[in-house]
Amino acid sequence: MDHRTEVQKETERQYAFMEKAAGYVEAMAAKLGRKPTCCVTTFGCQMNARDSEKLAGILEKAGYELVEDENADFVIYNTCTVRDNANQKVYGRLGVLNGYKKKNPHMKIALCGCMMQEPSVIEKIKKSYPFVDLIFGTHNIFKFAELLTAMFENKGMVIDIWEDTDKIVEDLPVERKYPFKSGINIMFGCNNFCSYCIVPYVRGRERSRNPKDIIREIEGLVADGVVEIMLLGQNVNSYGKNLEEPVTFAQLLTQIEKIEGLERIRFMTSHPKDLSEELIQVMKHSKKICRHLHLPLQSGSTRILTAMNRRYTKEQYLKLAEHIREEIPDISITTDIIVGFPGETAEDVEETIDVIRRVKYDNAFTFIYSKRTGTPAAAMDNQVPEDVVKAGFDKVLKVVQDTAREQAARYQGQVMEALVEEINESDPGMVTGRLSNNLLVHFPGDASLIGKIVRVSLEECHGFYYVGKRVE
Ligand code: SAH
Ligand code: SF4
Ligand code: F3S
């Protein structure tokens, strides 16, 4: 059987399981006298969120009503394990779910996502959270319908974790959170093994989707009302290298740009070591690729970068960022920074601050280093004491905020296009739109604007967002 037929067969198999699961949900509905409810909770990154949309798509097909409240008939936690606080949140909230379950005997609880790829987590759940009904991992999420059926047919905990996979199953249902924008996986896994990071262990090796499958999915999304897409991968710059017919990420973008009706293209994440000149030129000349580049720095100290296995130096990073700012002056550059990597000194933190000042990040996510079992950094014997990390973190955060504020202010008075995303949370007479450079702008408007791209004049800068006015 060739690869494509095999993939199609698997998709058909899963649709059959959705029908089977629908039978169980229908029986439950008859018993309850109402449609059973389900809640999908996302704990992680954009990829995790996209997976949640796939889970929701299948649950909806099975006949559940999607709700936000976790006091539901079926709750699934799509977990993250990139930092320990993500794990702690899951354990804390499982206790609350158990309380709901005691009052609702029909309730089922499932766990999936990155955290489930860690054997120690499974042991802990088996021992301390025996009320969980279903557990699976990242590699077999495509068989969620099948696992759901198994959950209904079995009494105890159903556990199915795969160590890795080379499978990419296409064409399963998806229930999007936003009608007008969507994430889309272009690749899975990661081969980089940054020494602090657990992602390669829980997401497996890098696999790129076929450009044809990606284009077909985007065309389908556009036909369904999507105007903005975010291409997702741990390192999009190495997209396509291992395909039978290799394609570069820049070439993929050029193909996507041609899709009629698609207005905006975003992507995440770019690893600095693989960012090509070809990509910079494609971005520079594109009408659809947003003026935003997320370019994780992690540290500004070459010594720490080497220990992190990031494979670029401070100087190389600075040169790259400077070149990008020269080529695309209106671009917004954002980053991720880790403070407290083993062996990091006050001087190293100063190097990071130096890079922040020079690159002038438009925004940065700053994280305290979290020790992840099984990664090389966890075994390093020079872990930094908590109070030292905290002091460095506060210092970095302050510079990040000052720089971001200054950078945001540079658009004052300009007119820009914003994609309206929602009614403003605190003022129902206002809407919130996202600019190409990823800044938010609040301006007077109503629900009829949601999903539309409109021109807005940026009147007042409030630190990290604007208040503006719609212009024709
Ligand atoms: N693939 C992306 C990052 C994915 S994880 C990239 O390489 O850029 C998102 C961010 O989490 C990382 O950029 C890093 O800053 C942070 N992170 C990853 N592992 C971490 C750890 N052990 N402790 C603290 N932050 C971590
Ligand atoms: Fe983690 Fe590095 Fe891979 Fe990003 S590139 S997911 S930080 S190992
Ligand atoms: Fe994302 Fe967290 Fe997994 S950051 S890839 S959900 S470990």
Side-chain angles (χ1 to χ4, degrees):
M1 209 171 3
D2 74 9
H3 178 66
R4 189 150 277 277
T5 349
E6 200 183 318
V7 166
Q8 267 164 9
K9 265 230 141 73
E10 186 57 53
T11 307
E12 281 161 26
R13 257 189 94 234
Q14 292 309 317
Y15 270 93
F17 279 114
M18 279 172 235
E19 262 175 46
K20 206 163 173 201
Y24 292 112
V25 177
E26 211 177 293
M28 200 197 309
K31 224 187 261 170
L32 294 169
R34 60 171 171 82
K35 210 172 169 182
T37 55
C38 72
C39 179
V40 182
T41 306
T42 302
F43 285 80
C45 61
Q46 279 92 345
M47 257 164 278
N48 190 253
R50 181 65 179 159
D51 284 346
S52 290
E53 294 185 342
K54 295 177 185 173
L55 298 169
I58 289 168
L59 287 166
E60 171 141 90
K61 265 252 168 329
Y64 277 104
E65 184 184 340
L66 285 163
V67 294
E68 300 276 322
D69 185 359
E70 291 186 357
N71 195 355
D73 300 304
F74 179 79
V75 175
I76 181 159
Y77 278 179
N78 191 9
T79 63
C80 169
T81 186
V82 77
R83 287 170 291 274
D84 189 53
N85 50 10
N87 297 46
Q88 294 315 318
K89 233 191 274 168
V90 168
Y91 292 128
R93 282 167 67 168
L94 271 176
V96 179
L97 286 193
N98 193 24
Y100 294 149
K101 190 167 181 168
K102 281 184 182 144
K103 292 190 191 125
N104 175 5
H106 296 281
M107 185 175 181
K108 300 272 186 201
I109 298 171
L111 299 172
C112 68
C114 294
M115 201 176 145
M116 301 305 129
Q117 292 296 137
E118 290 179 276
S120 61
V121 169
I122 304 300
E123 284 318 305
K124 181 163 173 169
I125 291 166
K126 277 205 250 178
K127 213 168 118 222
S128 310
Y129 304 86
F131 54 87
V132 171
D133 300 284
L134 168 65
I135 305 178
F136 56 98
T138 55
H139 302 303
N140 54 349
I141 184 170
F142 71 87
K143 57 180 278 200
F144 177 45
E146 184 174 351
L147 293 165
L148 202 59
T149 315
M151 177 191 80
F152 284 122
E153 289 169 357
N154 285 279
K155 276 221 147 48
M157 200 186 274
V158 174
I159 305 179
D160 190 11
I161 312 284
W162 294 8
E163 277 194 15
D164 209 339
T165 188
D166 54 7
K167 255 195 179 141
I168 297 179
V169 180
E170 302 281 349
D171 298 321
L172 291 169
V174 181
E175 179 64 28
R176 288 198 311 279
K177 194 171 165 200
Y178 299 95
F180 53 87
K181 69 168 184 178
S182 179
I184 167 159
N185 302 100
I186 62 165
M187 59 207 297
F188 302 93
C190 181
N191 284 352
N192 288 307
F193 291 94
C194 301
S195 65
Y196 51 82
C197 184
I198 199 164
V199 170
Y201 304 89
V202 296
R203 285 272 170 178
R205 292 298 63 72
E206 190 178 289
R207 304 169 310 279
S208 294
R209 279 177 77 192
N210 237 300
K212 279 203 191 72
D213 290 327
I214 297 171
I215 304 279
R216 197 160 47 94
E217 184 174 349
I218 300 174
E219 285 171 346
L221 289 168
V222 170
D224 198 33
V226 166
V227 291
E228 177 180 301
I229 52 155
M230 161 96 77
L231 307 173
L232 300 171
Q234 294 299 347
N235 177 11
V236 292
N237 296 323
S238 69
Y239 169 81
K241 285 191 180 145
N242 299 323
L243 283 171
E244 259 172 51
E245 294 169 44
V247 177
T248 65
F249 180 53
Q251 287 167 338
L252 177 71
L253 283 171
T254 310
Q255 287 188 40
I256 294 174
E257 174 112 15
K258 293 189 190 127
I259 299 175
E260 227 167 285
L262 179 67
E263 307 272 356
R264 281 180 165 187
I265 306 167
R266 298 183 185 278
F267 54 84
M268 143 166 290
T269 300
S270 271
H271 195 305
K273 79 175 164 67
D274 296 313
L275 197 141
S276 67
E277 183 60 30
E278 186 194 13
L279 175 63
I280 298 172
Q281 294 310 319
V282 165
M283 283 185 85
K284 178 176 175 175
H285 295 109
S286 164
K287 298 220 158 43
K288 296 185 178 176
I289 302 172
C290 287
R291 286 331 199 206
H292 176 212
L293 184 67
H294 188 63
L295 193 63
L297 168 70
Q298 312 303 359
S299 167
S301 150
T302 299
R303 196 177 63 84
I304 295 296
L305 285 170
T306 308
M308 284 177 162
N309 192 31
R310 288 292 288 181
R311 286 171 280 172
Y312 52 85
T313 62
K314 176 186 182 183
E315 288 69 31
Q316 283 167 334
Y317 185 99
L318 281 171
K319 210 168 142 204
L320 179 64
E322 195 184 329
H323 177 57
I324 294 165
R325 287 233 190 260
E326 264 167 27
E327 290 291 309
I328 317 170
D330 57 345
I331 203 163
S332 148
I333 302 182
T334 60
T335 203
D336 291 345
I337 291 166
I338 299 175
V339 180
F341 183 86
E344 189 178 63
T345 62
E347 289 81 59
D348 293 318
V349 174
E350 285 308 320
E351 299 256 29
T352 300
I353 289 176
D354 185 44
V355 176
I356 301 169
R357 290 218 168 98
R358 293 218 228 166
V359 176
K360 298 197 178 70
Y361 290 111
D362 294 85
N363 203 356
F365 297 105
T366 311
F367 304 109
I368 287 182
Y369 167 74
S370 172
K371 196 170 168 177
R372 309 315 290 135
T373 311
T375 62
M380 294 178 184
D381 55 12
N382 45 0
Q383 306 286 325
V384 184
E386 227 173 276
D387 54 330
V388 177
V389 178
K390 186 73 183 51
F393 179 83
D394 290 344
K395 235 176 143 178
V396 169
L397 193 63
K398 168 104 189 23
V399 184
V400 160
Q401 287 175 341
D402 290 348
T403 316
R405 208 172 286 123
E406 274 169 39
Q407 284 294 103
R410 69 184 165 135
Y411 304 108
Q412 180 92 34
Q414 293 190 23
V415 173
M416 283 188 174
E417 287 189 337
L419 169 58
V420 181
E421 296 197 335
E422 59 197 5
I423 296 286
N424 189 290
E425 270 172 26
S426 47
D427 182 348
M430 307 266 276
V431 290
T432 300
R434 191 176 295 273
L435 304 175
S436 169
N437 62 23
N438 216 34
L439 279 177
L440 295 181
V441 56
H442 307 289
F443 59 98
D446 58 40
S448 70
L449 292 178
I450 293 176
K452 297 213 169 84
I453 295 180
V454 297
R455 285 161 62 75
V456 184
S457 83
L458 307 176
E459 317 250 292
E460 293 161 40
C461 183
H462 289 243
F464 307 103
Y465 64 89
Y466 272 93
V467 173
K469 210 170 59 205
R470 196 178 163 194
V471 293
E472 292 306 324

